[in-house]
Amino acid sequence: MRRLPSRPITATDVARAAGVSQSAVSRTFTPGASVAPATRAKVLEAVKLLGYRPNALARSLITGRSRIVAVVMAYLDNQFYPDVLEELSGRLQERDHQVLLFTAKNGSASDPLLDQVMRYQVDAVVLASTTLSSALARECRAAGVPVVLFNRTTDDPDVSSVTGDNLGGAERIAAFLAAGGHRALAFMAGSETSSTNRDRERGFLRGIARAGLPKPTRVVGHYTLAGAAEATRALLSGPARPDAIFCANDHMAIACIDVARHAFGLRVPEDLSVVGFDDVGAAAWRGYDLTTFSQPLQPMVEATVGTLMDLLENPEEPPRAAVIKGELVVRGSARLPAGGFTTHEGRRVWRP
Amino acid sequence: MRRLPSRPITATDVARAAGVSQSAVSRTFTPGASVAPATRAKVLEAVKLLGYRPNALARSLITGRSRIVAVVMAYLDNQFYPDVLEELSGRLQERDHQVLLFTAKNGSASDPLLDQVMRYQVDAVVLASTTLSSALARECRAAGVPVVLFNRTTDDPDVSSVTGDNLGGAERIAAFLAAGGHRALAFMAGSETSSTNRDRERGFLRGIARAGLPKPTRVVGHYTLAGAAEATRALLSGPARPDAIFCANDHMAIACIDVARHAFGLRVPEDLSVVGFDDVGAAAWRGYDLTTFSQPLQPMVEATVGTLMDLLENPEEPPRAAVIKGELVVRGSARLPAGGFTTHEGRRVWRP
DNA sequence: CCAGGATTTGCATAGGTATGCATAGGGCGC
DNA sequence: GCGCCCTATGCATACCTATGCAAATCCTGG
């Protein structure tokens, strides 16, 4: 019963079976095209009979739209990204677009990758990798392909981006830690070349200055678990042990807590407060119960898809730099200030 | 300086610039084609000058190969899957193939999804979703598209699959718990329709029978955090509290530990042992330190890609059902037997 | 019953590349 | 120096669908 797929069924086959022209078949699958209901019915019957499916590639060749969006990602072990991916893919599928996924090895050159992206005639590109050189963005734009940077910005004011409130969030974290009575703060940087890290550090420093606290100790965790663990060890072995660490993302904060607890026997938050950024799923796990500034997934993805669709309609659209507000979600990994708590969407949050 | 993308550069443009025919350009990009080095050089120069990139879609139209592999996934919040995705995508990119990602909402019908998959003329499909109906697999095969089931099997002996050692692993877990002196075992099922769950349950029961222990209590966690939390509450509130729970995957085991510790004040493993399956990254986090049976990612993905490539070369290839062996990775979430420990790739493992 | 407008239909072509075939060119041996 | 063979090249066509245009059909109102 293993019937060989003799030859793929084409629109011409369907046309012959339905006794109409190939054009009629095409129009049946083109929304808004002019087809008589009777013809349409005949066509659909033949389609069902033969198991025909339009060839999206051939269609793209003519229309110049592939309905494919390239998504470039790295760090998929940081839960934030798969969550973004799932949401993004879902939203795009809803709008009849597909996701062509490119995973960038962390240190790898982006050139061959860009080549592949361009060859597939993607309609747009979402760059959701903090590390990739912004050359990629520039080249895409040069080729006339709309680009949206996700969770990342670049100096080029001509490229659209969607980010969380890195500056404001980090500043609020500083205020929160100051209000909680911490005096010796530390900052664990992620990847030093990333814009998220730059903004979060800048915001944190600004908040610290405002609170009149001394400059924080600084270590680098490279946005990886291993890097964060090592950075934590360095920090806690040093002469001036901090009483609070702000890690540039949740992923690192988790490693930080693990090391503090199990390698140094510290209690969190009694001996050491740890705060993260992103509010990934694991931050709510009771084993970590992480206080963190949220990057609201759905609004961020909606802004991305919205920008994308607008750019597809009109490539001349001026670029947007959307900054999606978040909240400081208070859990149990940092000592609490006396007041300032509110409830937001069922979670306890803090505002200065 | 915003140069409008006047018109995409085609091979004909390059040919004109290089003073050769369009065929020569095409052959320059076709490995093994007959082109004189001098011609090739002229072409490449023009290519660079104009910024030409071959149109992969047009190429696919002729060759009948798109070099696109559809990957259908769900449950991206279970860390196992993004890890698989990253590895799979990397391996396929190495072999010049691209990943078209389809995320299946957990309960959704697979038909419109299948339609999209087929329209894009993908060369092959990887089904990595425990929930999706096997109708999808059947239909793909009917259309002559190679399918590999990942972490899942089906009754149809004609479709290839790659899984971990669900039966053997679960059986070993039972033996491990028995050797550790547990007497009242419980099993937390995942999605009851999935083959992984079926096999893990079957293996667990077999191991229990072999050890001469009574049948385990059974709850269902649906492979979700919320489901697992509720199942754990039901289990621990019940009359006969178990002294060990085998959760059908790590994702659920984590929720289980959280509830046991924080809602019931139990100590893990002193009051309750918890064992998972998969050995995801989070299992090694010190906050959970989960004992679990590993599904080795790289071998599984390699087997998948290997099968895929072979099927692409020869669609008549007989189907394979690869079962990748794993190890019982011993950490701190379950009471330990007296002996049976070994070291395997730097991790402590247990063999009966 | 007819004219005229609106709607539907088919024809032909385009979109960018790969490839079979025939031809042109080059090198080598005798 | 000639012939032969092998390599390199160009021409023409095919892949499958969408769409402008002209022709055909239908419907409506007078």
Side-chain angles (χ1 to χ4, degrees):
Chain A
M1 257 326 189
R2 198 192 254 215
R3 201 158 45 81
L4 280 192
S6 45
R7 196 174 48 85
I9 312 291
T10 75
T12 310
D13 300 329
V14 176
R16 197 175 307 128
V20 299
S21 75
Q22 178 263 324
S23 315
V25 178
S26 168
R27 285 192 250 263
T28 299
F29 285 94
T30 308
S34 172
V35 201
T39 315
R40 179 188 205 81
K42 273 193 295 183
V43 169
L44 288 179
E45 193 182 2
V47 162
K48 205 168 171 187
L49 186 69
L50 299 179
Y52 168 73
R53 315 203 203 247
N55 183 329
L57 270 36
R59 161 180 297 196
S60 306
L61 195 54
I62 301 186
T63 60
R65 319 235 79 136
S66 60
R67 305 190 80 78
I68 294 179
V69 175
V71 176
V72 183
M73 250 187 201
Y75 289 115
L76 249 62
D77 56 333
N78 172 354
Q79 211 181 3
F80 181 65
Y81 288 106
D83 286 351
V84 166
L85 189 57
E86 188 159 23
E87 185 74 21
L88 191 56
S89 160
R91 289 269 172 280
L92 286 173
Q93 279 173 217
E94 274 173 14
R95 306 199 191 207
D96 254 302
H97 283 252
Q98 307 306 325
V99 169
L100 199 62
L101 178 68
F102 294 85
T103 51
K105 281 215 183 127
N106 289 346
S108 74
S110 59
D111 261 21
L113 198 150
L114 175 72
D115 241 47
Q116 290 304 317
V117 172
M118 298 309 298
R119 288 183 181 202
Y120 279 88
Q121 313 295 108
V122 300
D123 288 350
V125 178
V126 176
L127 278 178
S129 164
T130 37
T131 42
L132 281 186
S133 95
S134 48
L136 224 164
R138 210 176 317 122
E139 286 213 50
C140 289
R141 270 201 334 112
V145 178
V147 179
V148 178
L149 299 181
F150 187 96
N151 200 30
R152 182 189 199 323
T153 58
T154 172
D155 304 327
D156 190 340
D158 267 357
V159 30
S160 295
S161 63
V162 176
T163 65
D165 187 8
N166 295 312
L167 270 170
E171 188 172 350
R172 191 174 304 175
I173 287 171
F176 174 80
L177 291 174
H182 302 86
R183 286 298 164 255
L185 306 187
F187 174 68
M188 184 185 298
S191 160
E192 301 205 72
T193 55
S194 76
S195 68
T196 50
N197 184 77
R198 174 174 35 80
D199 292 348
R200 288 171 196 176
E201 181 159 14
R202 200 178 286 170
F204 191 54
L205 291 176
R206 188 192 294 168
I208 287 176
R210 240 179 231 178
L213 291 182
K215 280 186 73 173
T217 326
R218 181 180 197 273
V219 286
V220 182
H222 304 287
Y223 282 148
T224 65
L225 288 183
E230 195 183 320
T232 306
R233 278 190 292 270
L235 205 51
L236 298 182
S237 316
R241 182 178 286 183
D243 56 5
I245 307 180
F246 166 38
C247 300
N249 71 10
D250 288 354
H251 194 59
M252 294 195 302
I254 283 170
C256 177
I257 290 179
D258 273 348
V259 169
R261 281 188 181 145
H262 296 96
F264 289 85
L266 299 178
R267 290 167 305 156
V268 175
E270 292 83 352
D271 304 323
L272 176 71
S273 289
V274 177
V275 179
F277 206 107
D278 283 348
D279 194 21
V280 299
W285 294 358
R286 297 299 305 273
Y288 296 96
D289 204 33
L290 191 64
T291 293
T292 182
F293 194 84
S294 68
Q295 299 212 89
L297 208 66
Q298 292 191 11
M300 286 181 75
V301 169
E302 267 164 32
T304 305
V305 174
T307 304
L308 227 51
M309 294 296 152
D310 292 349
L311 281 171
L312 284 183
E313 294 232 338
N314 173 19
E316 293 311 302
E317 191 92 359
R320 304 177 203 159
V323 177
I324 310 298
K325 295 291 179 191
E327 292 287 350
L328 179 47
V329 180
V330 177
R331 298 202 183 88
S333 68
R335 288 208 311 270
L336 301 181
F341 302 103
T342 325
T343 297
H344 179 76
E345 292 176 358
R347 291 171 312 178
R348 191 180 185 201
V349 305
W350 187 85
R351 294 182 189 148
Chain B
M1 260 325 187
R2 199 191 256 213
R3 201 156 48 78
L4 281 193
S6 45
R7 196 172 50 83
I9 312 291
T10 75
T12 311
D13 300 329
V14 176
R16 198 174 306 127
V20 298
S21 76
Q22 178 262 325
S23 313
V25 178
S26 168
R27 286 192 249 261
T28 299
F29 285 94
T30 307
S34 171
V35 201
T39 317
R40 177 185 206 84
K42 274 193 295 183
V43 169
L44 287 179
E45 192 183 2
V47 162
K48 205 169 174 187
L49 187 71
L50 299 179
Y52 166 74
R53 313 201 206 249
N55 184 328
L57 270 38
R59 161 179 297 196
S60 307
L61 196 53
I62 301 186
T63 60
R65 318 234 80 135
S66 60
R67 306 191 79 79
I68 294 179
V69 174
V71 176
V72 183
M73 248 186 203
Y75 290 115
L76 249 62
D77 57 333
N78 173 354
Q79 212 181 1
F80 181 65
Y81 288 108
D83 286 350
V84 167
L85 189 56
E86 189 160 21
E87 184 73 21
L88 191 56
S89 160
R91 288 270 172 279
L92 286 173
Q93 279 173 217
E94 273 173 15
R95 305 200 192 207
D96 253 301
H97 283 252
Q98 308 305 325
V99 168
L100 198 62
L101 179 68
F102 294 86
T103 51
K105 281 212 184 129
N106 289 348
S108 73
S110 59
D111 261 21
L113 198 149
L114 175 72
D115 242 47
Q116 290 303 317
V117 172
M118 298 309 299
R119 287 185 182 201
Y120 278 88
Q121 313 294 111
V122 299
D123 288 350
V125 179
V126 176
L127 278 177
S129 164
T130 36
T131 42
L132 281 185
S133 95
S134 46
L136 226 162
R138 211 176 316 122
E139 288 214 48
C140 288
R141 270 203 332 115
V145 179
V147 180
V148 178
L149 301 181
F150 188 94
N151 202 29
R152 182 187 198 324
T153 59
T154 173
D155 303 327
D156 190 340
D158 268 356
V159 29
S160 294
S161 63
V162 175
T163 65
D165 187 8
N166 295 311
L167 271 171
E171 187 173 351
R172 192 174 303 176
I173 287 172
F176 174 80
L177 291 174
H182 302 85
R183 286 298 165 254
L185 305 187
F187 174 69
M188 184 185 298
S191 159
E192 301 205 71
T193 55
S194 76
S195 67
T196 51
N197 185 77
R198 174 175 33 82
D199 292 346
R200 289 172 196 175
E201 182 159 12
R202 199 176 290 171
F204 192 53
L205 291 176
R206 187 190 296 168
I208 287 177
R210 241 179 232 179
L213 292 182
K215 279 186 74 172
T217 325
R218 181 179 197 274
V219 286
V220 182
H222 304 286
Y223 282 146
T224 66
L225 288 182
E230 195 183 320
T232 306
R233 278 191 292 271
L235 205 50
L236 298 181
S237 315
R241 181 178 289 182
D243 56 6
I245 307 180
F246 166 39
C247 300
N249 71 10
D250 288 354
H251 195 59
M252 295 197 302
I254 284 170
C256 176
I257 290 178
D258 273 350
V259 168
R261 281 187 182 146
H262 296 95
F264 288 84
L266 298 179
R267 290 167 306 157
V268 174
E270 293 83 352
D271 303 324
L272 177 71
S273 290
V274 177
V275 179
F277 207 107
D278 282 347
D279 194 22
V280 299
W285 295 357
R286 297 299 305 271
Y288 294 96
D289 203 35
L290 190 64
T291 293
T292 181
F293 194 84
S294 68
Q295 300 212 88
L297 208 63
Q298 293 192 10
M300 285 181 75
V301 168
E302 265 164 34
T304 306
V305 174
T307 305
L308 226 50
M309 294 296 150
D310 291 349
L311 281 171
L312 283 184
E313 294 232 338
N314 173 19
E316 294 309 304
E317 193 92 358
R320 305 177 203 160
V323 176
I324 310 296
K325 295 292 177 190
E327 290 287 348
L328 179 47
V329 180
V330 177
R331 298 202 183 86
S333 68
R335 286 208 312 270
L336 301 181
F341 303 104
T342 324
T343 297
H344 180 75
E345 291 175 359
R347 292 172 310 180
R348 193 180 183 202
V349 305
W350 187 85
R351 294 181 188 150

